[in-house]
Amino acid sequence: MGDCESENENDFGTPELVWRSKEETKAARDLVSSIPSFCSSCETDPDNSENSSVRAKNIVSLVNEYLSMIPSYNIYDSEKHMFMLISSGTAKALVSLVLNSQTQCYKQSGEESIKLFLYPNIRFVPKSIRKHWVRLVLKFCDLLYCEDKHGDQHPLYYTCRKTLISLLKLTSFRKTSKYTYATQPSDTIEEFYPFVKDYFVYSELSYEFIRCLANIRQDIWNGRYFNFTPRWPSYLSLLRELKKFSKIYLNEEEDLFSEIRGYQYQVDMLVRLSKRSDDLKWLLEHKNSISSNTRDYLLMKMLPEVKFDFEKHHKMLIDRSQILTDSFKHLSLGTSKSLHSGLSVEFRNEEAVGYGVLREWFFVICQELFDPKGSLFLACPTDGRRFFPNPAPLDHRHRNYYAFAGRVIALALMHKVQVGVTFDRVFFLQLAGGVISLEDIQDADPVLYKSFKTILEMDADIVDSYALGLTFVREFEEFGSRRVVELCPGGDSIIVNSKNREEYIQLLIQHCFVKSIAEKLSYFTRGFGDILCERELQKIFFQSLELEDLDLMLLGSSEAISVIHWKAHTVYHGYEETDDQIRWFWEVYSYRRSIVFSTF
């Protein structure tokens, strides 16, 4: 099979010498002739016609076919293929499809074809042609930016930029090490330097920031903590800008915060030195890169700060015999502004006042509010301290009690009081806007969970024999009568089989644990949002938490309290450690070993 030699002008306006075998020539000719003709026909083709759809798919097939022909074992031949591709005008034709076509299927085929040249497909690019691939991706970047006045906002443009940076890394595009002020582009990409120079700036800044964090640790070890404190908080502003910058480049944001994870102590200190008014919520987007202490501190900043001025507190006089109704009345009448100052509670005909009374009120009201006998919430069978809204149909008289519950929990967090109750995973995930899976319902309804697992593990032949007798419906009791609800349109006629059983179970989970409590959840979140500094922070608050974090906030630690450590750090006012009352206290506590005992 003979080769022919010709000189062409490529997309960069420079002549390239191209050798083509007959097979290569045919593939290139098909690619070059088909794509531009498809672009021009977009003006006359009816949108989404069958003919357009077929031809659009053919574009992707042609690009795929040509890429599959690039040999990875022969540098000479692989470079020939890349020269042909660059000189063919393919990049311009595909970008034209994406930006100019009025036909949706052509736009999609253009995007799909361009993505074949981008991340993650670049992992399979032979080393011999990576430098040429850089040229091609750069061309896509230029065209997407120049052809469209909004090109810098096009998702493909950013994908191209990220891919370009990744390729530049693979092609050893620096003369010197990554972290140095003397960084310059290598000769092979000198012409591309203006395009990627901002990446060099980002690299240097990120390196310097990590070096600053390391210096903080060294300063602390050397006892120079207070000398450097004034300028440390400004480092968080730099980190925020680096975070914005890193989003432009492939995996850089992940890499940046992966390094930050090794300096959690320093970041924790910087956060503690910041002002309460500083907006640091963006740190919570990488909650696994910061310590749990930092995470909790940032979350508490979303709640109002309790005022020390007792006169500004929202005052409540509560009758113990009617603690639920009295508390509901007082909190319902309170405005968000008045509640943000803090609470002050007194029990009728009792002299005790102060923080101890407030803590007792929180604990008792939560026991009343979350009592399963009250029908608002149900306890998990496996853990009586975990609750979720009762899925039973909502009595409209109780709607505002869910808003009341939201206020109580938010106020307890605001006052840093442990209340003896916490949330089940089903409830917690929905507060965070998460999706409920089969494993998430294990504690809320162990019987239903086991039943679903049995269906999934059954032999396919048994399920397909219709032995289960199930259709896509849910049967349940509502106000004493039996109801049947379809899980999807026509569900009563869809029989559960081995192919659709997973869908059936997921739909049933959504109906039992999501739709059934949706209205109650909305009232709870409304009440919780009343207490937050900004109502829209409610979802961010729970998204930034792990369920274990919330458990610590509402329940406290499950670890036994060390009596020895407690005694060692106890300060006595008006008593001596040897007094009978003090001795009796420690004897009783040592005997009971009750964590709840320490709540009061």
Side-chain angles (χ1 to χ4, degrees):
M1 185 178 293
D3 291 341
C4 61
E5 183 177 320
S6 65
E7 192 176 78
N8 295 283
E9 191 173 275
N10 61 24
D11 279 343
F12 299 94
T14 59
E16 298 284 4
L17 200 60
V18 181
W19 291 265
R20 298 188 178 95
S21 67
K22 290 182 180 179
E23 183 182 5
E24 293 168 345
T25 302
K26 182 180 183 304
R29 185 169 56 248
D30 288 345
L31 189 62
V32 172
S33 62
S34 298
I35 296 177
S37 64
F38 284 170
C39 290
S40 61
S41 64
C42 289
E43 300 296 330
T44 57
D45 250 355
D47 192 21
N48 294 324
S49 69
E50 184 177 350
N51 185 46
S52 297
S53 179
V54 172
R55 296 171 70 188
K57 290 179 181 178
N58 196 33
I59 296 173
V60 182
S61 299
L62 286 170
V63 176
N64 249 325
E65 179 186 354
Y66 189 82
L67 291 178
S68 66
M69 292 173 59
I70 299 177
S72 59
Y73 53 84
N74 187 306
I75 297 177
Y76 178 74
D77 287 343
S78 60
E79 286 191 340
K80 285 197 300 181
H81 276 72
M82 285 306 299
F83 286 148
M84 291 172 59
L85 189 60
I86 291 172
S87 64
S88 67
T90 298
K92 188 172 184 178
L94 291 176
V95 171
S96 179
L97 275 178
V98 173
L99 300 181
N100 303 325
S101 175
Q102 301 300 313
T103 308
Q104 187 61 31
C105 61
Y106 284 135
K107 281 183 175 290
Q108 292 175 351
S109 67
E111 289 191 17
E112 190 175 343
S113 298
I114 292 175
K115 287 177 181 178
L116 294 173
F117 298 95
L118 306 179
Y119 183 87
N121 298 305
I122 58 170
R123 292 176 297 177
F124 309 108
V125 176
K127 290 183 179 180
S128 59
I129 59 171
R130 282 176 182 168
K131 293 178 182 179
H132 303 294
W133 209 279
V134 168
R135 286 173 169 264
L136 189 60
V137 176
L138 178 67
K139 188 62 180 177
F140 281 127
C141 284
D142 286 341
L143 289 168
L144 284 165
Y145 184 81
C146 297
E147 291 289 336
D148 183 1
K149 62 182 179 181
H150 301 298
D152 59 338
Q153 298 177 0
H154 197 288
L156 267 183
Y157 171 77
Y158 288 112
T159 306
C160 287
R161 285 193 63 138
K162 292 177 180 180
T163 304
L164 180 64
I165 294 300
S166 183
L167 280 167
L168 291 175
K169 289 179 181 179
L170 292 173
T171 53
S172 303
F173 63 100
R174 294 171 180 269
K175 285 182 178 178
T176 53
S177 64
K178 180 178 180 181
Y179 301 123
T180 171
Y181 285 115
T183 300
Q184 293 294 333
S186 64
D187 295 336
T188 56
I189 63 152
E190 196 79 43
E191 60 192 286
F192 310 139
Y193 186 57
F195 184 82
V196 297
K197 63 181 179 181
D198 53 353
Y199 179 71
F200 292 105
V201 174
Y202 166 77
S203 295
E204 301 310 323
L205 286 175
S206 61
Y207 168 69
E208 286 301 312
F209 180 77
I210 296 300
R211 195 166 66 85
C212 287
L213 291 182
N215 287 340
I216 289 177
R217 178 164 53 191
Q218 191 63 43
D219 291 338
I220 294 172
W221 287 348
N222 293 336
R224 296 198 297 267
Y225 174 90
F226 293 103
N227 293 336
F228 288 81
T229 297
R231 69 182 184 189
W232 286 352
S234 63
Y235 292 164
L236 290 177
S237 299
L238 174 59
L239 178 58
R240 185 175 190 176
E241 295 307 310
L242 285 172
K243 180 181 183 299
K244 293 178 182 177
F245 214 167
S246 67
K247 290 179 179 293
I248 302 174
Y249 308 113
L250 187 66
N251 295 331
E252 286 295 336
E253 184 176 12
E254 181 181 341
D255 291 345
L256 173 64
F257 280 88
S258 178
E259 288 199 68
I260 295 297
R261 195 174 298 124
Y263 297 89
Q264 288 186 351
Y265 177 75
Q266 288 90 321
V267 174
D268 187 31
M269 182 172 295
L270 294 177
V271 170
R272 296 286 177 168
L273 290 171
S274 65
K275 299 177 182 177
R276 182 175 175 83
S277 58
D278 292 344
D279 183 9
L280 300 177
K281 293 188 292 293
W282 52 272
L283 275 171
L284 293 170
E285 295 177 24
H286 298 273
K287 61 181 181 180
N288 295 326
S289 294
I290 57 179
S291 69
S292 58
N293 289 334
T294 298
R295 190 166 61 241
D296 293 347
Y297 177 78
L298 293 175
L299 288 169
M300 293 308 297
K301 286 178 65 174
M302 296 185 190
L303 291 162
E305 190 173 18
V306 178
K307 300 293 188 296
F308 288 105
D309 189 349
F310 178 80
E311 293 301 320
K312 293 182 179 180
H313 287 187
H314 182 79
K315 298 176 179 60
M316 300 193 300
L317 181 61
I318 305 297
D319 187 335
R320 280 189 183 271
S321 63
Q322 301 180 44
I323 188 169
L324 186 58
T325 53
D326 270 10
S327 300
F328 174 77
K329 185 185 302 181
H330 278 287
L331 281 189
S332 298
L333 293 175
T335 64
S336 295
K337 184 177 180 180
S338 66
L339 295 174
H340 283 185
S341 298
L343 291 181
S344 176
V345 176
E346 291 184 46
F347 287 107
R348 192 180 300 277
N349 300 323
E350 296 184 21
E351 295 183 2
V353 293
Y355 189 60
V357 177
L358 178 65
R359 292 170 66 182
E360 181 187 3
W361 173 81
F362 269 121
F363 188 85
V364 175
I365 193 63
C366 283
Q367 299 304 309
E368 288 281 334
L369 191 57
F370 287 85
D371 186 348
K373 296 178 182 178
S375 75
L376 292 174
F377 295 90
L378 296 181
C380 291
T382 56
D383 187 347
R385 302 171 304 168
R386 296 191 179 279
F387 294 87
F388 58 94
N390 191 341
L394 178 66
D395 186 334
H396 292 292
R397 294 173 298 176
H398 294 158
R399 288 182 302 183
N400 291 327
Y401 271 92
Y402 285 103
F404 169 66
R407 283 190 167 194
V408 169
I409 293 298
L411 286 166
L413 292 172
M414 171 179 152
H415 286 83
K416 301 179 182 178
V417 176
Q418 295 160 9
V419 294
V421 300
T422 189
F423 301 157
D424 172 66
R425 184 167 296 278
V426 167
F427 188 20
F428 173 77
L429 285 176
Q430 291 183 72
L431 289 171
V435 177
I436 308 301
S437 68
L438 175 58
E439 295 304 317
D440 295 324
I441 73 168
Q442 185 173 4
D443 293 331
D445 196 331
V447 175
L448 192 60
Y449 170 79
K450 187 176 181 180
S451 174
F452 286 162
K453 292 288 284 187
T454 301
I455 293 174
L456 291 175
E457 294 168 0
M458 287 180 68
D459 184 84
D461 292 337
I462 296 177
V463 178
D464 291 336
S465 68
Y466 310 124
L468 296 175
L470 297 173
T471 57
F472 276 61
V473 299
R474 181 196 173 201
E475 299 183 20
F476 58 96
E477 293 286 330
E478 182 175 286
F479 300 124
S481 60
R482 179 174 169 274
R483 281 198 62 192
V484 178
V485 177
E486 291 185 333
L487 300 177
C488 62
D492 60 345
S493 60
I494 302 176
I495 298 174
V496 176
N497 55 44
S498 61
K499 294 181 180 179
N500 63 20
R501 55 183 167 182
E502 290 187 12
E503 180 187 2
Y504 165 75
I505 288 173
Q506 191 56 42
L507 287 174
L508 200 52
I509 288 173
Q510 292 299 307
H511 200 279
C512 292
F513 297 98
V514 179
K515 291 182 179 179
S516 61
I517 68 169
E519 187 179 4
K520 302 162 189 177
L521 190 75
S522 68
Y523 277 94
F524 182 92
T525 55
R526 187 184 71 183
F528 193 94
D530 288 341
I531 307 303
L532 289 172
C533 295
E534 300 174 44
R535 179 179 295 277
E536 58 271 18
L537 295 177
Q538 180 263 324
K539 188 171 289 187
I540 298 175
F541 184 92
F542 288 104
Q543 285 175 343
S544 304
L545 277 173
E546 300 293 342
L547 181 56
E548 294 73 17
D549 296 330
L550 188 64
D551 291 347
L552 282 173
M553 292 177 175
L554 295 178
L555 289 177
S557 174
S558 59
E559 297 179 2
I561 296 174
S562 170
V563 178
I564 296 175
H565 289 166
W566 192 7
K567 289 176 69 174
H569 293 86
T570 299
V571 178
Y572 303 99
H573 295 284
Y575 288 91
E576 298 292 336
E577 188 175 357
T578 55
D579 289 346
D580 288 342
Q581 293 89 340
I582 302 301
R583 184 168 48 81
W584 294 336
F585 173 84
W586 291 121
E587 286 177 359
V588 171
Y589 182 79
S590 299
Y591 176 74
R592 293 293 301 275
R593 294 279 180 170
S594 172
I595 294 176
V596 175
F597 181 79
S598 68
T599 302
F600 305 102

